[in-house]
């Protein structure tokens, strides 16, 4: 990983912590897959865009309905638990 990529990731992580009021270090709890049968959705606000079969890193289980996740493009957002499958 180059220095430029490292700085870009650090900046994205700081923006994430500010936007979601997340304290502490960012740790991946587990990985989950978006249900291949679900319709793809555009993200908006604090919601993460969903693609069928995509593998997401789970950062925090926020409530019974939502999970805070990170996708492969290092974008963060909430995802409904109903569309996630365990690997």
């Amino acid at each position: 990983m180059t220095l430029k990529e490292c700085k870009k990731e650090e900046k994205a992580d700081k923006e994430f912590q500010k936007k979601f009021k997340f304290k502490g270090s960012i740790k991946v709890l587990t990985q989950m897959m978006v249900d291949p049968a679900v319709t793809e959705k555009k993200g908006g606000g604090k919601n993460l865009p969903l693609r069928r079969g995509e593998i997401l890193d789970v950062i925090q289980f926020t409530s019974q309905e939502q999970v805070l996740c990170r996708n492969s493009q290092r974008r963060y957002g909430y995802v409904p638990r109903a569309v996630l499958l365990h690997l």
Side-chain angles (χ1 to χ4, degrees):
M1 191 181 295
T2 65
L3 181 62
K4 186 176 181 180
E5 289 173 337
C6 283
K7 288 188 177 194
K8 188 176 180 181
E9 283 187 12
E10 285 179 21
K11 183 180 177 184
D13 290 348
K14 286 181 183 179
E15 288 175 6
F16 156 74
Q17 289 177 329
K18 184 177 178 181
K19 183 176 182 179
F20 291 94
K21 297 179 177 122
F22 190 85
K23 303 266 190 231
S25 62
I26 299 168
K27 296 179 184 172
V28 176
L29 302 176
T30 187
Q31 288 187 323
M32 298 180 94
M33 181 174 75
V34 177
D35 189 349
V38 76
T39 57
E40 295 188 9
K41 298 179 183 179
K42 290 185 180 181
K46 292 186 176 182
N47 294 328
L48 193 62
L50 300 178
R51 290 187 305 176
R52 295 177 185 167
E54 182 177 27
I55 305 296
L56 301 174
D57 295 330
V58 176
I59 306 299
Q60 183 180 37
F61 293 99
T62 56
S63 71
Q64 294 288 359
E65 294 84 31
Q66 294 187 54
V67 179
L68 186 57
C69 295
R70 175 177 66 196
N71 65 12
S72 58
Q73 290 86 35
R74 296 195 62 83
R75 294 180 66 196
Y76 296 89
Y78 293 112
V79 176
R81 278 191 178 200
V83 302
L84 294 174
L85 302 173
H86 289 280
L87 292 177

